[in-house]
Amino acid sequence: MNIGRALVPLTAVAGLVALCACSTAGASGNDGRLKVTASFYPMQFLAEQIGGGHVDVTGLTKPGTEPHDLELTPRQTGELGESDVIVYLKGLQPAVDDAIAQSGVANTVDAAALTTLEDHGTEVDGQHHTTGDNHTGHEDEVGSPMPEARGASADPHIWLDPVRYAEVAEGVGKALAKADPGHEATYEKNTAALVKKLDALNTDFEDGLKNRTSDTFITTHAAFGYLAERYGLVEEAVNGIDPESEPSAARMKTLHTLAKDKGVSTVFFETLASDRTARTLAGDLGLKTAVLDPIEGITDKSAGRDYFEVQHGNLQALRAALGAK
C-alpha cells in the first residue's frame, strides 16, 4: 500500500471537517442561528432586538408568570445547558441562578454586572439620591458595582431606567458578537439602534415629567426605585422588593399620612401581582387607582406590545398621577 497516496484524501477530509466546524462556530442550532436563552422578558427583549434574525431566543419565564418565583422544569434545566449564550439577571430568580451555575455554558451574561445595583427599601427619594451626573453614589465605574450595592436587598429592576437598560444592551451586544463573531457587524449595528431608542425614551421621560405638581407616587411593590432616582421622583411602595410580601400595619399607617401630606392622587398596582392592597388603600383614602407596569412580562393586559410601548404607557400614567402639564 502506498502510504503517501493514502494520506492525500485523508488530509483533504480533515481540512473539509475543519472548514465546516469554522463555518458553524457559535451557531449550534439546526438552522445555523445562535441559541440564546433569556431568563425573563427584559433580557429576552434585548437578545431579540440585538440578535435579529441571527439568534433563536428562548425565554424561561412564560408571559403572565411572576418572574421572582419562577421554578424551572427538568426539561428547561436540560435545555439550558444546550444554549450558546444565556442572558439573565443574577439575584432576581434564584432557581435560574442555580441552574446556570450547573449548566456548563461558557457564554453567560449577567445584566447586574453590566450596570450598577443599589439597595432600595420601600421608599426611594430620587431628589436626595441622584448626583449631578444623574448616577448614584454607589458607583465605582460603569459596569462595576460596589460590593455594598450587591447585597441581599439589592434592587434588580434596572431595566425600568432607560439609561441603565442601555448599558445592559451594550453588554449583551458585545456578548453576542463574542459568541458569534461572523455577525459582529450586525450585532453592533442593532445595539447602536436600540441604545438610540433608549436615549430617546429617556428624553421623553425627562421632558414629560418636567412640569409636574407632585413628586410622590405610591406603588404596590418597590420596582420603580431606579426610575424615581433618574427623574427626581419619590417612590413610596406598599411592599418591598418582593411583590408577594405583606405590608405591616405601621407601613399602612405611614402611607395614609404620607398620601395626605404629599397630595398623592393615585395608587398604582401591577398586572402580574395582586391589586388587593392597592385598591384597599385607595378606597380608604378616596384615591384613584391605575396600572404602573414593571414590564416583567408582556400579556394581553399590558399597555403595549413591547418594552417601549409599555414604558410610554407608564410615562402617561405617571404624568396623570403627578399632574404634569
Side-chain angles (χ1 to χ4, degrees):
M1 177 178 179
N2 191 325
I3 296 177
R5 293 180 62 186
L7 286 176
V8 174
L10 289 176
T11 303
V13 170
L16 180 60
V17 170
L19 179 62
C20 291
C22 290
S23 67
T24 59
S28 66
N30 293 331
D31 57 2
R33 293 187 295 170
L34 201 68
K35 292 183 65 175
V36 181
T37 300
S39 58
F40 73 126
Y41 176 74
M43 302 298 103
Q44 180 178 342
F45 183 72
L46 291 182
E48 290 173 343
Q49 293 293 302
I50 296 170
H54 298 308
V55 297
D56 177 15
V57 183
T58 299
L60 292 177
T61 307
K62 303 305 178 186
T65 301
E66 170 54 56
H68 297 76
D69 302 325
L70 178 68
E71 295 294 337
L72 298 180
T73 65
R75 180 176 180 178
Q76 285 179 307
T77 302
E79 291 176 346
L80 190 67
E82 299 174 2
S83 306
D84 294 316
V85 179
I86 300 174
V87 185
Y88 73 117
L89 204 167
K90 189 173 183 179
L92 178 71
Q93 299 169 291
V96 174
D97 295 349
D98 293 342
I100 291 173
Q102 300 173 26
S103 69
V105 176
N107 296 313
T108 61
V109 188
D110 173 13
L114 299 173
T115 184
T116 55
L117 267 68
E118 300 176 18
D119 294 341
H120 287 158
T122 52
E123 176 187 358
V124 177
D125 187 341
Q127 295 180 326
H128 294 163
H129 283 71
T130 304
T131 60
D133 64 353
N134 232 5
H135 287 277
T136 56
H138 290 291
E139 189 173 359
D140 179 15
E141 59 182 345
V142 174
S144 180
M146 295 294 284
E148 68 268 25
R150 297 299 302 273
S153 59
D155 182 356
H157 301 88
I158 49 179
W159 63 92
L160 292 169
D161 172 1
V163 177
R164 278 184 169 86
Y165 199 40
E167 291 174 350
V168 175
E170 290 176 340
V172 171
K174 291 176 182 178
L176 294 182
K178 179 182 177 182
D180 184 18
H183 297 112
E184 180 178 5
T186 299
Y187 298 140
E188 289 180 349
K189 179 182 177 181
N190 291 348
T191 300
L194 180 57
V195 169
K196 185 176 180 180
K197 289 184 67 176
L198 288 167
D199 288 344
L201 178 63
N202 176 48
T203 300
D204 289 342
F205 268 92
E206 288 178 338
D207 293 343
L209 295 172
K210 274 181 180 176
N211 301 312
R212 57 182 185 263
T213 58
S214 175
D215 294 327
T216 304
F217 63 101
I218 296 177
T219 60
T220 51
H221 97 280
F224 298 89
Y226 294 114
L227 185 146
E229 287 184 345
R230 181 63 58 192
Y231 305 111
L233 306 177
V234 180
E235 179 193 38
E236 293 285 352
V238 176
N239 301 321
I241 298 299
D242 180 1
E244 301 302 325
S245 61
E246 289 295 327
S248 66
R251 179 60 182 162
M252 293 299 288
K253 183 178 180 181
T254 297
L255 289 172
H256 276 73
T257 302
L258 182 146
K260 294 176 180 178
D261 291 346
K262 299 296 183 180
V264 174
S265 67
T266 307
V267 179
F268 289 110
F269 62 93
E270 303 170 10
T271 55
L272 297 183
S274 172
D275 62 355
R276 179 175 55 84
T277 303
R279 292 191 181 280
T280 298
L281 178 62
D284 290 344
L285 296 171
L287 303 179
K288 302 174 185 176
T289 58
V291 172
L292 199 61
D293 197 330
I295 324 182
E296 295 172 343
I298 299 293
T299 70
D300 292 340
K301 296 181 180 179
S302 301
R305 296 166 295 179
D306 65 15
Y307 172 86
F308 285 104
E309 289 187 2
V310 178
Q311 274 285 53
H312 278 105
N314 283 341
L315 173 56
Q316 296 309 314
L318 282 169
R319 281 174 50 81
L322 300 178
K325 305 298 183 182

